[in-house]
Amino acid sequence: MTDKPSSRTRAQKHCDGVRLFGEVWKAGEMEDSESLVRRWEDLDTDILVKIFQSFDIYQLTSGIAHVCSAWRLACCDPLLWKTLDLSMMKSNYIKIPLEPYVYVDGRSDKDLTRVLKTSLNLSWGNLMTLIFHFNLYVSDDLLTYTAERCPRLKRLVMPAWNRIKKTGICKAIRCWKDLESLTMPSIANPPYLMEEIAKNCKNFNELKIMGPCDIFFASTLVAYLPKLKVLSLRCSMLLKDALIIILDGLQHLEVLNISHCLVIDTTPPRAPRRLLKELDPVILEKASRLRMFLTCMQDSCIMCQRTKNDEGLMRWYKYEEGLWLEDEVRSLAY
């Protein structure tokens, strides 16, 4: 079953919300002493929305929209649905040796489907940011359902693609004409995706890759997304030659984050790989044109140590909850 916050925590938050309802309502009764009966549905919509903003996604989708028409109207307010944050939801899964390499429990899928469908119905197509946990494995069908119901999406954070096929992600990208920012895993065959983004997302300018970046991936970015402005490759393995391709080929790039990366030198050919302790002058010269070039290769840095221990492929489940959402680039952090 999909992991949720403890029932005690949700109950406490619910009680806080109810208590806030009571305090607001009591104040209203004092202001209008002539009214003998005040109904919950008569509470001002702006006040309801303010209260609902303190609820988490489980509370918003638990059925409060069915209390009355006034509450449903408040539940559908765009202020509540600029961002759908599912970073607290994790699939209950086991690893398997064959594709998609994970098996997700049916009840876990059912919980995610309920939360997503309810959220999408309430959002009325107003979602602009969608965030999935790195251990939340969305199916092809659910991704398509989601994409069709949030056509205004501008930012997608989805680090787990195990169950998503080429046709599924391409169909979703075609729905997201306004997409500007994507956080994704490293994939073996990136051209099909980058080509789809280039054709359909004219305002796309920001990319974060959670995983190794090789020469093929770097060359693909240069070929299909030459106008990319922001790129984060933090906490991963990065070939020196791939970094040079990015710096030479992405002429519109303004911000590049390679903090805590393992930068590997593979020259001369067939020579043993060598981990760079510092960036050489050639790379620094090429990067000098950037507005921001973020690096960290310190042995004393905890994140650098973790990347090294995980051999450039971060096992985020081992570390603090929410650490994977961090980024030195402010627009990519959450």
Side-chain angles (χ1 to χ4, degrees):
M1 187 167 59
T2 305
D3 293 348
K4 300 179 181 179
S6 67
S7 58
R8 178 177 173 78
T9 301
R10 295 202 309 275
Q12 288 175 333
K13 289 183 178 180
H14 179 69
C15 288
D16 290 341
V18 172
R19 191 178 299 113
L20 182 56
F21 268 126
E23 291 174 357
V24 171
W25 199 244
K26 188 180 295 182
E29 286 181 329
M30 292 175 63
E31 292 176 2
D32 189 3
S33 58
E34 294 180 1
S35 177
L36 299 178
V37 179
R38 301 290 296 274
R39 298 179 300 175
W40 287 101
E41 59 265 35
D42 293 332
L43 195 61
D44 186 79
T45 300
D46 291 339
I47 296 177
L48 281 171
V49 171
K50 189 69 175 177
I51 294 170
F52 291 162
Q53 283 180 312
S54 68
F55 288 9
D56 62 30
I57 190 62
Y58 295 108
Q59 293 166 325
L60 281 175
T61 58
S62 64
I64 59 175
H66 299 299
V67 171
C68 62
S69 58
W71 282 32
R72 181 168 183 82
L73 182 63
C75 281
C76 295
D77 192 284
L79 287 175
L80 298 175
W81 299 108
K82 289 182 179 179
T83 298
L84 178 54
D85 182 6
L86 301 179
S87 62
M88 78 295 291
M89 294 188 75
K90 297 183 252 184
S91 296
N92 184 24
Y93 71 98
I94 57 173
K95 293 183 179 180
I96 57 177
L98 302 175
E99 289 188 5
Y101 304 112
V102 293
Y103 171 78
V104 178
D105 176 66
R107 292 177 63 188
S108 185
D109 268 344
K110 186 176 180 180
D111 284 347
L112 174 59
T113 299
R114 182 193 66 79
V115 171
L116 252 182
K117 287 189 173 182
T118 303
S119 300
L120 293 169
N121 287 337
L122 293 174
S123 69
W124 288 356
N126 287 309
L127 283 180
M128 293 189 178
T129 299
L130 181 56
I131 303 173
F132 294 100
H133 192 275
F134 69 88
N135 272 343
L136 187 58
Y137 298 99
V138 183
S139 67
D140 249 0
D141 290 342
L142 195 54
L143 179 64
T144 299
Y145 181 93
T146 301
E148 291 173 345
R149 286 159 180 79
C150 52
R152 299 174 61 195
L153 196 73
K154 291 187 175 183
R155 182 185 180 194
L156 175 65
V157 178
M158 191 168 63
W161 289 22
N162 297 57
R163 302 171 71 196
I164 296 173
K165 298 180 177 65
K166 175 181 176 180
T167 52
I169 188 62
C170 287
K171 188 173 182 180
I173 293 296
R174 286 193 286 271
C175 292
W176 291 323
K177 303 294 185 183
D178 296 331
L179 190 69
E180 298 175 0
S181 174
L182 174 64
T183 296
M184 60 171 286
S186 180
I187 57 177
N189 184 31
Y192 77 86
L193 174 68
M194 302 308 165
E195 183 178 11
E196 205 68 52
I197 291 174
K199 287 194 301 185
N200 293 280
C201 310
K202 301 306 180 183
N203 296 322
F204 190 84
N205 61 74
E206 192 174 71
L207 179 66
K208 178 175 180 177
I209 303 170
M210 297 182 67
C213 182
D214 58 16
I215 292 174
F216 183 40
F217 210 127
S219 300
T220 301
L221 293 181
V222 171
Y224 292 101
L225 299 177
K227 295 184 179 180
L228 196 66
K229 293 183 178 180
V230 179
L231 177 62
S232 178
L233 306 170
R234 72 187 303 268
C235 299
S236 63
M237 182 183 293
L238 174 62
L239 296 187
K240 176 185 173 182
D241 289 344
L243 177 57
I244 291 175
I245 289 172
I246 289 170
L247 290 171
D248 285 343
L250 295 179
Q251 290 299 310
H252 293 267
L253 197 65
E254 298 176 3
V255 178
L256 176 60
N257 184 13
I258 62 168
S259 299
H260 325 301
C261 280
L262 300 182
V263 182
I264 307 295
D265 189 0
T266 57
T267 55
R270 299 178 183 174
R273 290 188 171 193
R274 181 169 62 91
L275 177 63
L276 298 185
K277 296 293 185 180
E278 59 182 18
L279 298 175
D280 62 42
V282 173
I283 291 177
L284 294 176
E285 173 62 27
K286 291 177 182 293
S288 62
R289 67 175 178 82
L290 301 176
R291 179 166 58 84
M292 291 179 63
F293 182 44
L294 301 164
T295 69
C296 180
M297 303 170 69
Q298 301 296 322
D299 290 337
S300 59
C301 171
I302 293 177
M303 290 307 300
C304 288
Q305 293 172 14
R306 288 173 170 177
T307 306
K308 188 173 183 179
N309 291 338
D310 289 343
E311 300 179 336
L313 186 60
M314 293 293 288
R315 276 74 171 176
W316 293 106
Y317 63 85
K318 300 194 304 185
Y319 307 118
E320 301 90 330
E321 185 64 42
L323 184 65
W324 67 277
L325 285 165
E326 295 183 4
D327 200 288
E328 290 73 18
V329 180
R330 184 180 302 177
S331 60
L332 288 170
Y334 189 78

